[in-house]
Amino acid sequence: QLSGGQRQRVAIARALVTDPLVVIADEPTANLDAATGHQIIELMRSLNRSQSVTFVFSTHDPRLLDAVDRLVRISDGRIVDAKEAAA
């Protein structure tokens, strides 16, 4: 019996174990405490830069939104706002 955060970490580990080129995730930092969420964000940034892994995700987490290099917003099935984040 795992907590929501533990299940989230297991799902992330399962997604990364095969060395994918693209990871698609729905709320990857949901159910995680602040420290673990920060670790996951840093892991995704590191894998993106060192191994060119692309992460595509939906999120409401402002910490994650602040950490991305590219942000695309979709509303009612349409891209409404796409911005390059400050590098």
Side-chain angles (χ1 to χ4, degrees):
Q1 294 192 7
L2 301 174
S3 70
Q6 290 168 327
R7 286 193 303 269
Q8 188 76 359
R9 289 189 292 271
V10 169
I12 291 166
R14 288 176 55 203
L16 296 175
V17 73
T18 60
D19 295 321
L21 296 176
V22 177
V23 174
I24 299 173
D26 181 20
E27 298 283 355
T29 56
N31 301 314
L32 301 178
D33 60 79
T36 304
H38 178 72
Q39 290 173 342
I40 296 302
I41 292 167
E42 289 305 312
L43 174 64
M44 289 189 293
R45 289 180 62 83
S46 174
L47 289 171
N48 174 257
R49 288 183 169 83
S50 68
Q51 297 179 24
S52 299
V53 177
T54 298
F55 290 89
V56 178
F57 50 81
S58 63
T59 190
H60 294 95
D61 185 342
R63 297 169 302 166
L64 187 51
L65 291 171
D66 290 341
V68 300
D69 293 328
R70 184 165 184 211
L71 175 63
V72 177
R73 295 177 194 262
I74 299 174
S75 178
D76 296 327
R78 296 183 180 266
I79 295 174
V80 294
D81 184 31
K83 296 180 181 178
E84 296 292 323

